[in-house]
Amino acid sequence: MEKHIALPLTKELAETLHAGDTVYLTGTIYTSRDAGHKRMCEALERGEKLPFNPEDATIYYVGPTPAKPGQVIGSAGPTTSGRMDAYAPTLMSVGARGMIGKGARLPEVVEAMKKYKGVYFGAVGGAGALLARCIKKAELIAYEDLGAEALRRLYVENMPLVVIIDSEGRNLYEEGRSAYLMSVHSGRHLKKS
Amino acid sequence: MAAKVQEGEEVMREIEVSRITEMIERLCIEANEHLPEDVKDAIRKCRACEDGEIAGGVLDRIIENYEIADREQVPICQDTGMACIFLEIGQDVHLTGGDLTAAVNEGVRRGYEKGYLRKSVVKDPIRRGNTGDNTPAMMYTEIVPGEQVTVTVGPKGFGSENMSAIRMFKPSAGLQGIKDFIVETVEAAGPNPCPPMVVGVGIGGTFDKAALLAKKALMRSLESSNPDPFYADLEKEMLEKINELGIGPQGFGGRTTAIGLNIETLPTHIAGMPCAVNISCHVTRHKTGVI
């Protein structure tokens, strides 16, 4: 199904999204990857606040290229989400709900998503030039010393995504692959008969 | 590049290392903005035989993405990689004007700055800390006959690099052992390396040479085949097997798990059969220049 959704990603909204849905996302999201996640979780451990309000927030796993003069942001496709698996349940426990990335997640992340009603969206990995076009505003908000890994607040319009894992734990990586293999299998069967 | 003749000596072509710096600066930018034509062709061919709505849609976006990068001269992918630099230096060339390694790193430094490319290198593997200029380059030099210097820049992203593998087989594992390992490595990589992938396979040599062969296999045109018909057939067979896995574009399910697979080999020891599988993505970049 194709859906246009406006952020923030509330619990109610999250529950309407299902693995395999094509989604066009509009609203404010936050960027963070390896080093930023480590710092945010260390801050939470010390009882400090995060650089942004995590409630119903969506985090984009991205380290963009530097913006050329006149650009809002450089190329900005997703990085491999699995490296954030150690931190994602902690961030969901304080209210963060949406994650945008690519690649497989650990079972403990999926369990946390079911518990906190999280959604894992896939952006097309390697399509950094295309995805940058959906980013209308970019503002550095913390950890500037991390360079490409610094925390940014982005405003995106109609960002093309696919729901990979939904809040019930359904997974497009598993379902999409087996659906394709079944279609090939049944196709072969038909040819034979 | 004036040739200098000294009395009683052979002619030796002199090349200033600053020319290598300039070429690397240019190639870093071009490689990151313009996908090689053979890679584009392979993606387009795969799009034509992909029926699934999600799979076809992903490939359409991948095509649109490299077209934007071409047109607007922006990086195809935000992971502008570690700069893998291959230098083939003619043995009749005398490099002058400074240290070659420093010249190569200066080219990378300038290219990544001027091209607004991402600096993705940390100075220590455990203690981390960004070097800030994407150096050092991963540099390989080879001495070849002739009086030219051939420079290849292959920016390598790590989403796919992380899914690569090497194994030291017993010779008794045979061809089947190699085949299974290639397919297993791709299957284990799954959606992580941004499929559709390009797969580079290195078989033989030593532990280190097998890995280098696999990387070099990624630099070879997807329109070419291994010159040995045995390995050319194996390339075709492995690509077909991989595309029966069903992982598909981005791992969402579909036919196109890989757009190409190249194999490079070397003789090896009587006791061994090393095999390395270097995984790359649909943004498999490389650009070559000759001085």
Side-chain angles (χ1 to χ4, degrees):
Chain A
M1 258 191 85
E2 217 172 272
K3 292 172 178 169
H4 288 259
I5 62 170
L7 296 170
L9 189 62
T10 60
K11 180 169 172 286
E12 293 69 29
L13 183 54
E15 283 174 333
T16 67
L17 301 174
H18 303 290
D21 286 350
T22 294
V23 167
Y24 293 90
L25 202 73
T26 297
T28 297
I29 61 175
Y30 299 91
T31 74
S32 182
R33 42 174 294 158
D34 309 61
H37 271 74
K38 187 164 182 271
R39 278 203 200 169
M40 286 198 288
C41 286
E42 284 165 358
L44 288 172
E45 222 166 84
R46 291 191 300 265
E48 294 167 13
K49 280 194 170 177
L50 295 183
F52 60 92
N53 178 5
E55 208 185 322
D56 295 338
T58 295
I59 299 174
Y60 184 16
Y61 303 147
V62 61
T65 58
K68 286 186 177 181
Q71 281 186 323
V72 171
I73 198 164
S75 294
T79 193
T80 312
S81 309
R83 294 194 316 274
M84 271 53 79
D85 280 355
Y87 312 109
T90 305
L91 291 170
M92 278 187 268
S93 75
V94 296
R97 196 179 303 284
M99 296 166 281
I100 304 171
K102 51 120 180 164
R105 308 308 299 263
L106 287 176
E108 44 266 47
V109 175
V110 181
E111 283 314 306
M113 290 173 64
K114 283 152 77 174
K115 185 176 174 188
Y116 300 112
K117 297 292 164 201
V119 181
Y120 174 42
F121 302 95
V124 176
L130 176 75
L131 286 158
R133 291 187 153 192
C134 315
I135 301 169
K136 304 299 176 189
K137 280 185 218 164
E139 183 191 353
L140 198 139
I141 55 171
Y143 312 156
E144 190 175 359
D145 60 298
L146 295 179
E149 296 200 59
L151 249 65
R152 289 175 173 83
R153 182 190 290 121
L154 308 182
Y155 183 79
V156 297
E157 269 175 21
N158 292 317
M159 186 181 193
L161 305 171
V162 174
V163 177
I164 299 176
I165 305 175
D166 62 28
S167 59
E168 290 163 10
R170 277 183 51 206
N171 189 329
L172 175 64
Y173 288 143
E174 290 157 15
E175 292 182 10
R177 187 176 172 194
S178 51
Y180 171 77
L181 291 175
M182 268 176 65
S183 75
V184 169
H185 183 74
S186 60
R188 275 188 189 156
H189 179 74
L190 285 173
K191 273 179 206 160
K192 271 182 205 161
S193 58
Chain B
M1 95 212 76
K4 206 163 100 182
V5 188
Q6 284 178 6
E7 217 175 320
E9 279 185 24
E10 294 280 323
V11 176
M12 190 106 180
R13 185 180 170 208
E14 289 197 351
I15 296 176
E16 282 259 354
V17 292
S18 63
R19 292 191 64 203
I20 293 175
T21 299
E22 285 159 17
M23 177 158 281
I24 289 174
E25 172 186 332
R26 180 168 64 80
L27 294 179
C28 283
I29 299 171
E30 287 180 7
N32 271 297
E33 293 177 350
H34 308 286
L35 200 59
E37 291 303 320
D38 58 296
V39 178
K40 290 179 186 171
D41 281 345
I43 295 170
R44 283 193 290 257
K45 276 183 194 141
C46 289
R47 173 63 188 97
C49 42
E50 194 73 72
D51 306 322
E53 198 181 316
I54 296 182
V58 167
L59 291 179
D60 284 341
R61 278 181 186 147
I62 284 172
I63 291 168
E64 195 185 344
N65 183 67
Y66 72 62
E67 287 175 347
I68 293 171
D70 264 338
R71 209 167 46 234
E72 300 183 5
Q73 296 186 302
V74 293
I76 309 158
C77 176
Q78 76 291 333
D79 186 352
T80 50
M82 277 190 105
C84 298
I85 312 274
F86 299 86
L87 297 176
E88 289 175 22
I89 302 167
Q91 64 189 31
D92 296 327
V93 171
H94 178 207
L95 296 170
T96 60
D99 173 31
L100 176 64
T101 304
V104 166
N105 283 324
E106 183 58 22
V108 170
R109 186 176 294 119
R110 288 189 201 168
Y112 275 70
E113 191 57 35
K114 189 177 167 193
Y116 291 85
L117 306 176
R118 196 179 77 183
K119 289 78 182 171
S120 311
V121 176
V122 293
K123 59 179 173 285
D124 184 280
I126 295 170
R127 291 168 292 179
R128 318 301 287 177
N130 201 304
T131 61
D133 59 8
N134 220 54
T135 67
M138 298 293 108
M139 175 178 160
Y140 300 96
T141 51
E142 211 175 317
I143 304 297
V144 298
E147 51 169 29
Q148 292 181 324
V149 175
T150 303
V151 183
T152 298
V153 175
K156 186 65 175 74
F158 256 58
S160 55
E161 193 75 354
N162 280 339
M163 305 318 290
S164 307
I166 187 162
R167 193 176 294 171
M168 304 302 284
F169 283 96
K170 292 177 184 136
S172 61
L175 177 59
Q176 195 57 46
I178 299 286
K179 287 181 181 178
D180 291 346
F181 178 57
I182 295 169
V183 176
E184 277 165 28
T185 303
V186 170
E187 188 163 24
N192 288 9
C194 300
M197 311 173 203
V198 175
V199 183
V201 180
I203 312 170
T206 47
F207 178 79
D208 52 318
K209 282 282 186 178
L212 180 55
L213 285 175
K215 178 71 86 247
K216 282 189 169 175
L218 293 175
M219 302 294 137
R220 209 179 83 205
S221 167
L222 299 183
E223 278 156 8
S224 67
S225 296
N226 188 295
D228 179 338
F230 173 80
Y231 287 108
D233 287 346
L234 187 60
E235 287 174 342
K236 279 198 204 100
E237 184 190 338
M238 286 293 92
L239 184 59
E240 274 170 32
K241 278 266 175 304
I242 286 166
N243 284 332
E244 284 170 9
L245 286 171
I247 294 167
Q250 294 296 301
F252 298 157
R255 183 190 166 278
T256 316
T257 300
I259 54 169
L261 183 143
N262 287 342
I263 299 175
E264 293 289 322
T265 68
L266 268 181
T268 190
H269 190 276
I270 48 171
M273 190 171 67
C275 181
V277 178
N278 198 183
I279 304 284
S280 187
C281 57
H282 58 89
V283 189
T284 292
R285 300 157 286 198
H286 47 84
K287 197 93 190 170
T288 300
V290 180
I291 299 175

